[in-house]
Amino acid sequence: MGRYRIRVATGAALFAGSHNRVQLWLVGARGETELELQLLPARGQEEEFEHDIPEDLGPLQFVKLRKHHSLVDNAWFCDHITVQGPVAFQEATFPCYSWVQADSVLCLPEGTARLAGDDALDVFQKHREKELKERRQIYCWATQKEGLPLTIAAGCEDDLPANMRFHEEKRLDFEWTLKAGALEMVLKHVYTLLSSWNRFEDFDHIFWGQKNTLAEKVRQRWQDDELFGYQFLNGTNPMLLRRCTSLPSRLVLPSGMEELRTQLEKELQNSSLFEADFILLDGIPANVIRGEKQYLAAPLVMLKMDTSGKLLPMVIQIQPPSPSSPTPPLFLPSDPPLAWLLAKCWARNSDFQLHQLQYHLLNTHLLAEVIAVATMRCLPGLHPVFKLLIPHIRYTMEINTRGRTQLLSDGGIFDKAVSTGGGGHVHLLRRALAQLTYCSLCPPNNLADRGLLGTPGALYACDALRLWEITARYVEGIIHLFYHGDDVVRGDPELQAWCREITEVGLCQAQNRGFPISFQSQNQLCHFLTMCVFTCTAQHGAINQGQLDWYAWVPNAPCTMRMPPPTTKEDVTMATVMGSLPDVRQACLQMVVTWHLARRQPDMVPLGHHKEKYFSDPKAKSILNQFQTDLENLEREITARNEQLDLPYEYLKPSLIENSITI
């Protein structure tokens, strides 16, 4: 009995408001009442009402709401509802952050995170069971291709649940930039019609429009061995390089190369020998573009780190040895300049393929989608892990669905311009998934396995470790609020079902590659959740953002190769190199797509700075605040370091990392 103050917040996105009338009920432990109010929610507004309620509702448990419609169902995006009751009760918050549609009644529980069975009353248990039953009918798995991770069942973005869709500003920006990119591609193609295409300088004809300072430096220095080596440590794909503990068995040194062997063994003894092995590409079928056969290789690059910390290539083997073929030639820095440059172009083309498909698409996008679908199917909105993860899966299902229909589909971008298109990309993804281990997704394990801990100049490694530690502290803080012992972890049926859904269903029986099928301790749970958050945020930032810098100058990272790898060195001419690199159409497409997919998003949410308040517990809010403080401290450290560098490494600056995979 008493006066209640109700505040209803509507989202700020375009069309978040509604002209339809909204009806509300308050549900407490001792009663329920309908509020007599005329609510027409307005975009970006918080509306406040006061009501005297004669009966004693007790502690509030739910707010129920129903949006009516007349001639048109005008959807409403409700952020949250807060209710200040009589003096005896503190303010209760009811998070929503979802679209309210049609005439159905939506029931919002009070925002305190709860594990299954936390409350003696079964009212919340019934709610979470009903919610999950409904969600499993909405969020269904689909097999896109056999041998690949499962995806959300959606043939196109319009098939997705409303709450997984882009908001209107994001949709308009995404589709406008696609049109702008298509126009830019046409203009560049027309601009080159009367121009030659037989020198590196001819790529300048299309090197205009969207570019930046680092891309310009790449254009100027792409032929330098130092920049070639640097990219294995800090470029857009820092995931392949590893320190050698022995000479690779595939590196067959013919007679006459005793001096090279001596040099390699010396570097090996000094622990300064590194390798980048693209063997995963061996035997992958190459694309055919507009009737013209494309080519793939599986290079091995051996590099040394000199005393100044520069990583320099020593030898490149473009193809692995084969019993049915002559011993493949080894390309050296002392070879004719064009032969050595072409060998590096082959390595960069191979890096483009593995970066885009293995380390970008599979290890971030597809993994994040598995996490997202499993979260929606297995964890109710009251679950603390749901509240922890939901900000980090924003827009992921839609961007992946668009990727499948526009990039990877038959006749999509990969088929039009990339040497692994036309079906090779599917073969490569299957191989990559078969090799994907849980440890490879966790920087402390991955960097240790690759021998890169403490490596001078390894900026990705340094920043990734710091971000992993900061993320781990945040995750541990949240988890320890709700799981007070290992037995609580083991006894949480929703959590255990979520774990199995990811490993056994979404990742197609990945338990033999180290992924857990159950959580037995707080530490194990925290480690897995840290991997989830890191993958959806920092790792995607490191892998995605560099495309605009390193791929805009096409010869530095050619999307396809149009001639077979050279078998001799003396016959390599400028015509050979230009005939191998992408043609005008392919190069324009590469530039346009990488700009579209790597540019900063207009509605970008920086890591840890989501506005949604899923946790109502002050302790959880304090832990998020500390996470933000730790990120700000790291930002200052990275900024100060970068001021001293010729090539600043910014992909893991917290302010540039998006809070989820949205592009």
Side-chain angles (χ1 to χ4, degrees):
M1 168 183 314
R3 172 159 291 196
Y4 287 77
R5 178 179 297 166
I6 301 97
R7 295 195 298 275
V8 180
T10 296
L14 280 176
F15 309 128
S18 176
H19 299 300
N20 297 155
R21 184 173 67 86
V22 175
Q23 185 178 8
L24 277 80
W25 294 263
L26 299 183
V27 181
R30 290 189 286 274
E32 173 180 333
T33 187
E34 179 183 353
L35 302 179
E36 297 293 335
L37 52 85
Q38 295 295 320
L39 173 61
L40 296 175
R43 172 193 173 200
Q45 299 298 309
E46 183 174 89
E47 301 179 62
E48 184 172 312
F49 307 88
E50 289 191 356
H51 272 267
D52 291 318
I53 298 175
E55 61 264 41
D56 179 11
L57 298 180
L60 291 180
Q61 297 173 336
F62 299 94
V63 166
K64 296 196 297 187
L65 49 89
R66 177 185 182 187
K67 186 189 66 61
H68 297 270
H69 69 87
S70 50
L71 296 177
V72 179
D73 182 14
N74 188 206
W76 166 44
F77 192 88
C78 176
D79 268 3
H80 59 270
I81 297 173
T82 56
V83 181
Q84 176 70 53
V87 178
F89 302 111
Q90 64 180 138
E91 185 174 83
T93 302
F94 301 84
C96 183
Y97 305 110
S98 60
W99 290 100
V100 183
Q101 297 174 308
D103 258 333
S104 58
V105 175
L106 181 63
C107 191
L108 303 179
E110 190 275 322
T112 301
R114 295 174 172 86
L115 299 176
D118 265 2
D119 199 301
L121 297 174
D122 67 352
V123 59
F124 289 114
Q125 186 61 33
K126 287 180 179 178
H127 171 79
R128 62 204 301 151
E129 290 172 1
K130 179 176 182 288
E131 180 184 21
L132 288 181
K133 182 179 179 181
E134 292 172 352
R135 289 235 216 102
R136 289 190 186 107
Q137 295 172 347
I138 297 171
Y139 296 87
C140 299
W141 292 108
T143 301
Q144 194 71 19
K145 297 284 185 181
E146 289 294 334
L148 301 186
L150 300 192
T151 67
I152 184 68
C156 66
E157 60 269 19
D158 291 337
D159 297 336
L160 289 167
N163 291 323
M164 295 296 116
R165 296 297 310 276
F166 290 169
H167 283 176
E168 191 65 12
E169 297 96 329
K170 169 79 170 178
R171 184 191 68 80
L172 291 172
D173 173 77
F174 187 92
E175 295 178 358
W176 179 87
T177 53
L178 276 180
K179 292 180 173 66
L183 177 60
E184 179 180 320
M185 182 175 163
V186 170
L187 292 174
K188 287 181 175 180
H189 201 188
V190 170
Y191 183 71
T192 61
L193 285 177
L194 300 178
S195 305
S196 62
W197 196 257
N198 50 35
R199 305 174 304 145
F200 298 138
E201 291 77 11
D202 293 333
F203 280 95
D204 285 327
H205 296 319
I206 62 171
F207 192 66
W208 51 267
Q210 303 297 331
K211 59 183 179 180
N212 56 31
T213 303
L214 182 50
E216 179 59 36
K217 288 184 178 181
V218 172
R219 184 186 72 84
Q220 296 169 1
R221 295 160 49 182
W222 71 282
Q223 300 184 48
D224 296 351
D225 285 358
E226 181 182 345
L227 193 72
F228 175 81
Y230 174 91
Q231 293 178 71
F232 287 105
L233 278 175
N234 304 314
T236 199
N237 182 21
M239 305 307 298
L240 191 68
L241 186 76
R242 62 174 55 244
R243 193 185 301 269
C244 290
T245 55
S246 62
L247 292 182
S249 59
R250 64 171 281 187
L251 185 64
V252 178
L253 298 175
S255 59
M257 287 198 167
E258 288 75 18
E259 183 179 350
L260 175 61
R261 178 179 292 277
T262 300
Q263 292 174 351
L264 290 168
E265 290 176 344
K266 177 183 176 183
E267 300 296 339
L268 185 63
Q269 291 173 359
N270 293 335
S271 296
S272 54
L273 185 66
F274 296 80
E275 66 177 271
D277 193 346
F278 298 90
I279 195 63
L280 199 68
L281 287 163
D282 189 31
I284 296 293
N287 199 0
V288 176
I289 301 176
R290 304 176 78 189
E292 182 181 351
K293 181 174 173 53
Q294 310 296 295
Y295 295 89
L296 284 166
L300 171 68
V301 182
M302 304 298 297
L303 309 100
K304 66 176 180 181
M305 182 161 286
D306 68 12
T307 53
S308 66
K310 296 176 182 176
L311 190 65
L312 301 172
M314 298 180 68
V315 58
I316 297 176
Q317 180 193 65
I318 298 180
Q319 291 282 40
S322 169
S324 59
S325 304
T327 301
L330 300 180
F331 292 81
L332 308 173
S334 57
D335 287 339
L338 286 176
W340 175 237
L341 182 60
L342 182 57
K344 291 192 291 182
C345 287
W346 272 103
R348 295 296 304 139
N349 166 261
S350 299
D351 197 55
F352 181 100
Q353 313 306 320
L354 291 193
H355 164 255
Q356 293 289 16
L357 292 169
Q358 181 178 17
Y359 297 110
H360 187 189
L361 176 60
L362 175 64
N363 289 16
T364 62
H365 278 264
L366 297 186
L367 178 60
E369 185 172 356
V370 167
I371 294 167
V373 177
T375 298
M376 299 308 294
R377 286 176 57 82
C378 298
L379 298 177
L382 284 168
H383 200 288
V385 173
F386 178 91
K387 292 175 179 288
L388 172 69
L389 291 180
I390 190 66
H392 304 297
I393 62 176
R394 171 180 178 255
Y395 293 164
T396 299
M397 292 187 200
E398 174 147 357
I399 193 60
N400 282 9
T401 301
R402 286 179 178 266
R404 283 189 285 274
T405 57
Q406 297 171 12
L407 291 178
L408 300 168
S409 59
D410 292 343
I413 300 299
F414 260 70
D415 284 2
K416 292 177 179 177
V418 182
S419 50
T420 46
H425 57 303
V426 178
H427 291 281
L428 183 56
L429 285 168
R430 287 191 182 115
R431 285 188 186 180
L433 179 61
Q435 296 186 10
L436 176 65
T437 65
Y438 176 35
C439 287
S440 71
L441 300 169
C442 307
N445 307 92
N446 176 271
L447 293 167
D449 177 66
R450 294 194 286 136
L452 298 184
L453 294 176
T455 300
L459 304 177
Y460 161 80
C462 175
D463 294 353
L465 284 174
R466 289 295 311 281
L467 275 163
W468 176 272
E469 293 165 0
I470 290 170
T471 304
R473 283 199 298 272
Y474 167 56
V475 168
E476 289 164 6
I478 294 293
I479 291 305
H480 288 160
L481 287 179
F482 302 98
Y483 293 92
H484 301 127
D486 294 344
D487 57 328
V488 184
V489 173
R490 290 191 294 268
D492 183 347
E494 294 166 342
L495 180 72
Q496 301 297 345
W498 176 74
C499 179
R500 291 192 300 273
E501 190 91 357
I502 290 174
T503 298
E504 296 183 338
V505 181
L507 292 178
C508 308
Q509 305 296 326
Q511 57 267 36
N512 61 343
R513 299 192 303 280
F515 288 86
I517 56 172
S518 66
F519 297 122
Q520 298 299 312
S521 68
Q522 291 173 307
N523 288 342
Q524 187 187 17
L525 171 59
C526 289
H527 193 270
F528 189 83
L529 287 172
T530 302
M531 181 277 293
C532 292
V533 175
F534 185 87
T535 295
C536 296
T537 58
Q539 184 62 18
H540 181 256
I543 294 296
N544 182 67
Q545 294 186 69
Q547 295 178 92
L548 191 56
D549 300 325
W550 300 100
Y551 290 176
W553 181 250
V554 174
N556 182 64
C559 57
T560 191
M561 299 294 273
R562 297 182 294 130
M563 293 179 66
T567 55
T568 62
K569 305 175 183 182
E570 294 73 20
D571 298 334
V572 176
T573 64
M574 179 60 73
T576 310
V577 180
M578 289 298 293
S580 298
L581 293 174
D583 62 21
V584 176
R585 180 186 178 89
Q586 295 158 349
C588 288
L589 198 54
Q590 173 176 327
M591 290 186 68
V592 166
V593 171
T594 53
W595 165 71
H596 177 60
L597 297 181
R599 67 191 175 88
R600 186 179 175 93
Q601 299 301 293
D603 63 345
M604 184 262 199
V605 177
L607 174 60
H609 285 78
H610 46 278
K611 295 181 175 63
E612 298 86 357
K613 298 175 181 178
Y614 289 98
F615 286 103
S616 60
D617 187 330
K619 292 180 180 177
K621 294 177 182 178
S622 175
I623 291 166
L624 177 60
N625 290 339
Q626 184 60 53
F627 182 43
Q628 294 169 348
T629 299
D630 291 345
L631 292 171
E632 289 163 6
N633 291 336
L634 178 60
E635 176 100 6
R636 285 191 287 271
E637 293 175 23
I638 292 175
T639 299
R641 177 200 68 196
N642 285 347
E643 289 173 353
Q644 311 301 316
L645 299 175
D646 175 46
L647 296 177
Y649 184 78
E650 299 201 319
Y651 308 138
L652 290 179
K653 280 181 75 171
S655 64
L656 300 181
I657 297 170
E658 190 141 14
N659 206 42
S660 60
I661 297 177
T662 72
I663 192 66

